[in-house]
Amino acid sequence: MSEESLPPDARAEYADALPEYAERVLEVTELIPPGRVMTYGDVAEWLQEGGPRQVGRVMALYGGAVPWWRVVRSDGVLLPGHELRALDRYRSEGTPLRGASLAAEGHLPRIDMRRARWDGGEHTEAHT
């Protein structure tokens, strides 16, 4: 059974099996409010450890049990292979989106990074 197939409440049972860095990335992901996003690089900067690729790897392996759609590419392009699932989440949460140009593949919108990006707000003092 993969981490992605676990129900959200089951993640706690597997917390001891997660590498410490992965657990920290997932904790930051859970802090991101609905309708807001952080980039992979933002999460790494928040943690003051790793980089965008390391955060992306954690999200690919363990992110299914957290709001994975709130950790995004810096250009706002929707995660390949998960575009429609993520788009449904963004729309239901009111995440700011930019309309797709007719030249965009699949004519999918992008996240409006200027309006949707979250910097940690009041949680800044509590980050690890």
Side-chain angles (χ1 to χ4, degrees), residues 1-119:
M1 176 180 253
S2 74
E3 182 78 17
E4 285 185 19
S5 63
L6 294 174
D9 59 334
R11 186 173 69 85
E13 295 176 31
Y14 291 87
D16 292 336
L18 291 175
E20 180 185 346
Y21 184 72
E23 185 63 28
R24 293 174 63 216
V25 168
L26 299 179
E27 287 172 359
V28 171
T29 303
E30 290 177 326
L31 293 175
I32 305 168
R36 305 298 298 273
V37 299
M38 289 180 91
T39 68
Y40 297 104
D42 292 340
V43 173
E45 184 177 325
W46 173 284
L47 294 173
Q48 298 178 344
E49 184 180 352
R53 289 178 188 231
Q54 288 83 3
V55 171
R57 181 76 176 145
V58 168
M59 294 304 294
L61 293 174
Y62 308 109
V66 297
W68 54 267
W69 58 93
R70 296 182 192 152
V71 180
V72 300
R73 292 172 36 160
S74 62
D75 61 4
V77 171
L78 305 185
L79 184 64
H82 301 280
E83 299 96 333
L84 298 179
R85 285 182 30 207
L87 190 55
D88 284 343
R89 301 284 186 151
Y90 298 137
R91 287 180 172 151
S92 70
E93 292 184 356
T95 306
L97 300 171
R98 295 177 57 206
S101 71
L102 294 178
E105 187 174 332
H107 306 294
L108 291 170
R110 290 182 179 208
I111 297 166
D112 184 337
M113 294 302 293
R114 186 182 57 76
R115 294 177 34 226
R117 199 170 198 172
W118 186 64
D119 66 1

